[in-house]
Amino acid sequence: MVSRILDASAFYAGIPFASQEKNYSTSVIFDEIKHIKKNHNAIKMLMETKRLEICDPEQEFIKKVLSKAKETGDFQDLSKGDISVIALCLQLGGELVTDDFAVSNTAKHLSLKVIPIMTKGISQLKDWVYFCSGCEKTFSEITFCPICGSKLSRKSAKKKSSSSPSANEPS
């Protein structure tokens, strides 16, 4: 059975509460979502019934995700929690359940299967660059132009066709 790794959006959509399958997430995501259904101890019940396991990825997988996110230009749009679930998915060889576009783009660039929840998911892989509308220069990992000080905007560097199917497409 393939491991399903959940980001925070999967919890907000109720995915683990409606499933009998075992799911995984990270301690960073757990800290973000532990207030969900707190009055009913729903998260605690998922853990006690072994339907949710909280574990953190090994450092080598975090480094791979960080490297890929910087390469694709998604790094600035990823939180620590986002990076942790992508890394755990990479480590476990599972499927990542998310509606976050930056998470999906980075994961698909790492050849991971992404299952969208309430959206169609991404249909194209993208590499992003940051550009200055004042100087018309492009940069990769900064937020302000070192030449004129303007805040940089993000645009697609090139389009690639997504090679992995979404949950809505036949496998």
Side-chain angles (χ1 to χ4, degrees):
M1 179 189 286
V2 175
S3 302
R4 288 191 331 166
I5 294 80
L6 310 178
D7 82 346
S9 65
F11 286 93
Y12 290 117
I15 299 297
F17 307 109
S19 169
Q20 293 300 313
E21 295 179 40
K22 183 171 186 174
N23 298 288
Y24 295 84
S25 200
T26 66
S27 61
V28 179
I29 297 298
F30 178 76
D31 287 342
E32 288 180 27
I33 56 91
K34 64 185 175 187
H35 67 279
I36 297 175
K37 299 188 179 191
K38 188 175 182 178
N39 294 341
H40 302 290
N41 290 321
I43 301 292
K44 184 178 175 185
M45 183 62 68
L46 288 174
M47 293 169 67
E48 286 175 359
T49 59
K50 307 284 189 223
R51 290 172 31 215
L52 176 64
E53 185 175 330
I54 304 297
C55 51
D56 291 317
E58 295 171 11
Q59 196 62 36
E60 70 179 280
F61 295 97
I62 291 172
K63 287 179 182 177
K64 287 179 184 178
V65 171
L66 289 172
S67 175
K68 185 58 74 175
K70 288 176 182 175
E71 181 184 309
T72 65
D74 287 307
F75 177 72
Q76 292 177 332
D77 292 324
L78 296 175
S79 69
K80 187 176 178 181
D82 295 337
I83 292 164
S84 72
V85 292
I86 300 168
L88 184 61
C89 188
L90 187 62
Q91 180 177 326
L92 297 178
E95 301 172 340
L96 185 56
V97 182
T98 184
D99 266 341
D100 185 295
F101 289 104
V103 170
S104 296
N105 194 55
T106 303
K108 285 190 173 194
H109 270 285
L110 289 163
S111 300
L112 297 172
K113 182 171 182 183
V114 176
I115 300 172
I117 305 161
M118 296 184 290
T119 68
K120 290 181 182 179
I122 63 171
S123 59
Q124 294 181 331
L125 296 179
K126 294 191 177 204
D127 287 328
W128 300 99
V129 293
Y130 294 85
F131 70 97
C132 176
S133 57
C135 300
E136 298 182 4
K137 302 276 185 198
T138 59
F139 304 93
S140 60
E141 296 179 28
I142 57 176
T143 55
F144 290 94
C145 178
I147 299 166
C148 70
S150 298
K151 184 168 175 41
L152 301 179
S153 299
R154 187 170 88 151
K155 69 178 179 179
S156 180
K158 58 185 170 182
K159 293 183 180 182
K160 299 178 183 178
S161 151
S162 174
S163 60
S164 64
S166 75
N168 298 334
E169 298 171 353
S171 300

